[in-house]
Amino acid sequence: MAHALIKSIAITAALASSTSALANPETQQLDKQSMALAKQFLGKLKPQLMHAMKNGGPVHALSFCNTKAPEIAADLSKSSGWHVNRVSMKPRGATATPDKWEIKALKHFEAEKMSGIPVKQMAYSEIVDMNGKKTYRFIKPIPTGGVCLACHGTHIAPAVQQKLHELYPRDKAVGYHIGDIRGAFSFSKTL
Ligand code: HEC
């Protein structure tokens, strides 16, 4: 318990001094790979999501996100050898519930946003002990855009709401506004 507390203070201190810049020379190479992975994830998901929205509307696109987003994460995990995931303080997906490290980082990003730092510039990485294994962890917040509001906003159409309820009875991922931090990419790699 005492040990866990010391560790969590250490993480907070590291986060507090980071201003989200990835400035640790020890993790520079891994940071670069993480940024590339985040880009890849977005590049695979966003154009297809836009396409699905345009051609079938949000209810159709919901089914797409439901099956395709976890598939993309699994494919990327396989091809990279990393653990590739997305998390949120208000999770929807089955693997989106953040752990302690992720919660700390997400809260820190919220504080940074309040102080005027652009969400797009934020990212944080650290080498931590995970189940006795030296592990590199990376987290980068994802901002809410206009197109996201159909499924994550404050006014969800009844048909979308119904489908959401069907697919995610415990869904928390609504009520967002443009510019809010919707969640984050969270990657890890055992060293
Ligand atoms: C058509 C509906 C729809 C739209 C539009 C949409 N999402 Fe989602 N989003 C979903 C669904 C469904 C999931 C859950 C996927 C799963 O089961 O893993 C999800 C999950 C997420 C997650 C993972 C965390 C969580 O809570 O599961 C993030 C982050 C996210 N969306 C961000 C965005 C952003 C940013 C946009 C706009 C660019 C967006 N979404 C647009 C439906 C949508």
Side-chain angles (χ1 to χ4, degrees):
M1 196 56 212
H3 183 67
L5 187 65
I6 287 165
K7 212 187 246 157
S8 83
I9 289 168
I11 290 173
T12 312
L15 275 171
S17 62
S18 80
T19 61
S20 280
L22 299 168
N24 183 356
E26 202 186 342
T27 57
Q28 214 168 37
Q29 216 39 42
L30 292 160
D31 292 340
K32 260 194 198 156
Q33 290 174 31
S34 299
M35 296 297 274
L37 259 180
K39 231 184 198 166
Q40 235 181 317
F41 199 135
L42 211 59
K44 280 182 195 285
L45 187 59
K46 206 166 173 191
Q48 291 196 65
L49 168 66
M50 303 294 266
H51 184 81
M53 285 288 278
K54 219 171 163 185
N55 288 282
V59 176
H60 162 72
L62 244 178
S63 305
F64 164 83
C65 276
N66 171 247
T67 53
K68 205 70 194 174
E71 215 176 282
I72 291 170
D75 284 352
L76 279 178
S77 294
K78 222 181 195 174
S79 64
S80 66
W82 291 48
H83 181 247
V84 173
N85 195 21
R86 293 183 305 167
V87 294
S88 173
M89 291 300 278
K90 296 201 290 176
R92 172 170 294 168
T95 63
T97 302
D99 68 10
K100 273 189 187 159
W101 187 89
E102 289 162 332
I103 290 171
K104 217 150 236 154
L106 284 165
K107 283 188 174 162
H108 183 73
F109 292 142
E110 289 292 349
E112 284 195 325
K113 185 171 163 286
M114 294 282 278
S115 72
I117 296 171
V119 175
K120 283 205 164 140
Q121 283 176 19
M122 298 177 193
Y124 181 70
S125 74
E126 194 179 10
I127 293 171
V128 297
D129 186 306
M130 247 178 134
N131 309 319
K133 286 187 186 140
K134 199 175 163 192
T135 306
Y136 166 82
R137 298 194 74 170
F138 171 90
I139 185 161
K140 179 166 180 49
I142 304 166
T144 308
V147 66
C148 321
L149 299 181
C151 304
H152 295 295
T154 50
H155 296 89
I156 311 281
V160 176
Q161 219 155 30
Q162 194 187 329
K163 187 81 183 171
L164 268 177
H165 191 71
E166 239 171 68
L167 294 171
Y168 306 96
R170 283 193 294 273
D171 181 36
K172 292 201 173 67
V174 293
Y176 289 89
H177 298 92
I178 290 180
D180 285 349
I181 294 172
R182 171 61 270 276
F185 291 112
S186 181
F187 308 149
S188 63
K189 183 182 168 65
T190 307
L191 299 177

